[in-house]
């Protein structure tokens, strides 16, 4: 089993990365592989609603969106990490995930997901709430911890001082590993995925 994590910070080795690393190291102790996928500081396009998605993902190939979708198809669970900007997730992770889910949402169905928010001080719970909405619309069980999945730190390295935050990351990893193992046992015993009703989308309530 493997968990794919997304570092939504432009900083490769900042506090968001450190928080995800704490999750990953605990996952390894639980027998689960992990990979931290870096958005990095390069260009990330917004979704423009062009409707040109293909079986490969987004029509635009000049950033890492389709690479992430390919990896997501092989992953069993997910953790999305973001720094907090103005009490909100980074714009780059939202642009990235909008296109990922719009063009490759089927790669995430019925796989557990968790979000992690990292801030100097405030805005973590609002950012945490925004990222969790991707899970709710995609039939993804959401993984919690012993507190909201938040870590505090401003400059790289300060996350090391947030003892409670890192403990929350480890407990998050344990909960995610437990859920993945339960799902695996369910598949082994023949429990099938739930049926999903599809139909015409409405723009108002009649």
């Amino acid at each position: 089993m493997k968990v794919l994590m997304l570092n939504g910070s432009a900083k490769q080795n900042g506090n968001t990365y450190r928080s995800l690393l704490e999750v990953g190291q605990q996952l390894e102790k639980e027998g689960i592989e992990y990979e931290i996928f870096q958005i990095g500081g390069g260009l990330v396009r917004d979704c423009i609603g062009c409707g040109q998605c293909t079986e490969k993902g987004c029509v635009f190939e000049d950033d890492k969106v389709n690479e992430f979708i390919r990896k997501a198809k092989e992953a069993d669970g997910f953790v999305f990490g973001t720094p907090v900007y103005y009490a909100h997730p980074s714009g780059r992770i939202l642009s990235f995930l909008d296109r990922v889910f719009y063009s490759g949402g089927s790669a995430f169905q019925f796989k557990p997901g968790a979000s992690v928010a990292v801030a100097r001080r405030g805005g973590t719970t609002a950012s945490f709430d925004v990222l969790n909405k991707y899970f709710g619309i995609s039939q993804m069980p959401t993984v919690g911890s012993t507190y909201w999945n938040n870590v505090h730190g401003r400059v790289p390295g300060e996350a090391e001082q947030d003892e409670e935050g890192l403990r929350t990351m480890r407990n998050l990893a344990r909960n995610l590993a437990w859920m993945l193992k339960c799902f695996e046992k369910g598949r082994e015993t023949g429990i099938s995925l739930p049926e999903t009703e599809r139909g015409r989308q409405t723009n108002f309530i009649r």
Side-chain angles (χ1 to χ4, degrees):
M1 288 181 285
K2 183 173 181 179
V3 170
L4 180 61
M5 296 194 275
L6 179 64
N7 180 9
S9 173
K11 296 183 176 68
Q12 299 285 325
N13 296 294
N15 291 313
T16 305
Y17 172 81
R18 178 63 186 88
S19 303
L20 294 176
L21 183 63
E22 192 74 14
V23 176
Q25 290 174 338
Q26 184 62 45
L27 284 172
E28 282 191 330
K29 293 178 182 178
E30 303 290 331
I32 308 290
E33 294 182 50
Y34 76 94
E35 175 184 352
I36 299 177
F37 188 97
Q38 304 277 5
I39 290 181
L43 171 72
V44 178
R45 289 177 176 267
D46 291 331
C47 180
I48 60 172
C50 66
Q52 300 301 307
C53 308
T54 70
E55 67 279 356
K56 296 180 180 179
C58 183
V59 67
F60 297 113
E61 294 278 1
D62 54 356
D63 57 25
K64 297 182 178 181
V65 164
N66 289 338
E67 180 185 356
F68 187 78
I69 292 171
R70 288 192 293 271
K71 290 177 178 289
K73 291 177 180 178
E74 304 302 320
D76 300 290
F78 303 91
V79 181
F80 301 153
T82 184
V84 174
Y85 299 157
Y86 294 96
H88 205 258
S90 74
R92 62 194 309 99
I93 195 173
L94 295 182
S95 294
F96 193 91
L97 289 176
D98 281 353
R99 287 173 50 223
V100 162
F101 276 87
Y102 195 79
S103 62
S106 61
F108 298 87
Q109 286 178 316
F110 306 112
K111 298 177 182 179
S115 58
V116 170
V118 181
R120 180 190 68 84
R121 191 169 179 86
T124 50
T125 54
S127 299
F128 176 69
D129 178 64
V130 171
L131 292 187
N132 282 343
K133 287 181 168 61
Y134 290 101
F135 309 140
I137 201 171
S138 304
Q139 296 179 286
M140 298 174 67
T142 304
V143 187
S145 185
T146 46
Y147 195 75
W148 292 283
N149 303 338
N150 305 329
V151 176
H152 289 87
R154 184 177 69 85
V155 298
E158 284 189 347
E160 295 285 352
Q161 302 174 43
D162 186 1
E163 180 182 346
E164 182 180 4
L166 294 181
R167 183 171 67 242
T168 301
M169 295 300 101
R170 293 191 294 273
N171 287 332
L172 168 63
R174 293 183 182 102
N175 292 344
L176 176 54
W178 172 80
M179 190 177 289
L180 288 170
K181 292 171 184 177
C182 288
F183 286 3
E184 183 178 52
K185 288 295 183 184
R187 287 191 294 270
E188 290 174 357
T189 58
I191 297 176
S192 58
L193 295 174
E195 290 185 16
T196 301
E197 290 189 35
R198 302 291 184 190
R200 181 178 174 185
Q201 293 178 320
T202 57
N203 296 322
F204 57 92
I205 302 299
R206 296 179 183 271

